Amino acid sequence: MSFGQVAILHGVRAQDSAGALPGTMGRGCGRGTPRALYRCVSAWLSPRGTLAAIAVGGAVAAGTGWRGLVLLAVFFVSSSLLTAGGGRRGPAQVAANGGIAAAAAFLSLGSAGWHIGFAGALAAAAADTWSTEIGRRSAAPPRLITTGVPVPPGTSGGVTMQGSLAGALGAGLIAAAAVLLGLAPVAAAPWIAAGGIAGGVADSLLGATLQARYRCAACGAPGEQPMHWCGGTGILVRGMRWITNDTVNLLATAVGAAVAAAPVALRVAGLA
């Protein structure tokens, strides 16, 4: 797997996935042979998803060099190993989770301050992935972030204490790695972690309020796609049609980048 292919994993929620134990998808990846690494890419990304990941990796390499690629790999590998079951990720999911990070990295060509926004976007993606995947293994049922009402595991906007703590750890991992790699000063680490946590919270809030939610007209099952797996058509029961899980992920990473880079932006504007 090239570092370009190690780019962005996925739409964080994988709400219809089930069953695999942590790290199942990553077995054999550590052998380091080209064939083993190819199997990992094929398991995690569709062919078009791989092309999108290469584009994201190229933008990151252009703006941040090998350090940014390593940080991208930290996010990708840690999140991939946590993802239960999952299915391969397509280009829309890659763009939703990596687009903001790739844009911030590329903008680093003009100002190194964008490195912090890049890390903040990855921290938000990591926080959301870690909270979702660890939270789905919680013994306590998730509760909707807006009302506290218990909801089925995998429901957008549902949170657990276990998942929330895991999300904070995921954001902290990206912040620490960014500092160790020299992409951000030590003083920026709390802001990167805060950006990741803020992005995760934004993801849950958007998922609970504005994200499209459907009920199958044929079998009555809830879902987040306009077509249900049984072949029935989904009826919109909540949210806006154009706000999909991918849209929510994109907005959440933008929040993470904005919060992380806020001190730099304020200094540039002469407000801090």
Side-chain angles (χ1 to χ4, degrees):
M1 186 194 309
S2 71
F3 270 117
Q5 291 168 313
V6 181
I8 295 294
L9 166 64
H10 54 299
V12 178
R13 280 196 182 80
Q15 58 269 5
D16 295 325
S17 305
L21 295 172
T24 298
M25 293 177 67
R27 287 177 183 168
C29 296
R31 295 173 186 171
T33 66
R35 188 172 182 178
L37 295 175
Y38 174 78
R39 284 199 209 100
C40 290
V41 174
S42 300
W44 289 330
L45 295 165
S46 70
R48 288 194 299 169
T50 300
L51 292 176
I54 291 172
V56 168
V60 170
T64 62
W66 68 268
R67 292 177 175 84
L69 289 173
V70 172
L71 188 64
L72 196 60
V74 170
F75 161 70
F76 181 89
V77 174
S78 65
S79 298
S80 298
L81 295 178
L82 284 175
T83 300
R88 298 188 299 174
R89 312 306 175 182
Q93 293 168 313
V94 170
N97 287 273
I100 297 298
F106 192 73
L107 288 171
S108 297
L109 290 171
S111 171
W114 285 99
H115 285 178
I116 299 175
F118 162 66
L122 287 184
D128 189 28
T129 304
W130 285 44
S131 64
T132 298
E133 297 305 326
I134 299 299
R136 73 170 65 249
R137 301 179 178 103
S138 173
R143 294 179 178 272
L144 202 64
I145 191 172
T146 52
T147 64
V149 174
V151 292
T155 300
S156 293
V159 297
T160 65
M161 180 62 71
Q162 183 176 327
S164 297
L165 292 174
L169 287 175
L173 172 66
I174 297 298
V179 171
L180 291 173
L181 288 166
L183 286 169
V186 174
W191 286 95
I192 295 171
I197 294 170
V201 172
D203 189 287
S204 295
L205 287 171
L206 289 169
T209 56
L210 299 180
Q211 183 177 338
R213 187 78 176 169
Y214 299 88
R215 184 169 298 279
C216 179
C219 68
E224 297 179 355
Q225 301 297 328
M227 291 297 296
H228 193 238
W229 62 265
C230 74
T233 301
I235 300 172
L236 184 70
V237 295
R238 191 195 72 197
M240 304 178 181
R241 290 185 185 277
W242 64 274
I243 300 185
T244 65
N245 187 58
D246 290 334
T247 309
V248 168
N249 289 338
L250 183 71
L251 294 173
T253 55
V255 169
V259 171
V264 176
L266 291 174
R267 282 198 299 273
V268 171
L271 300 176

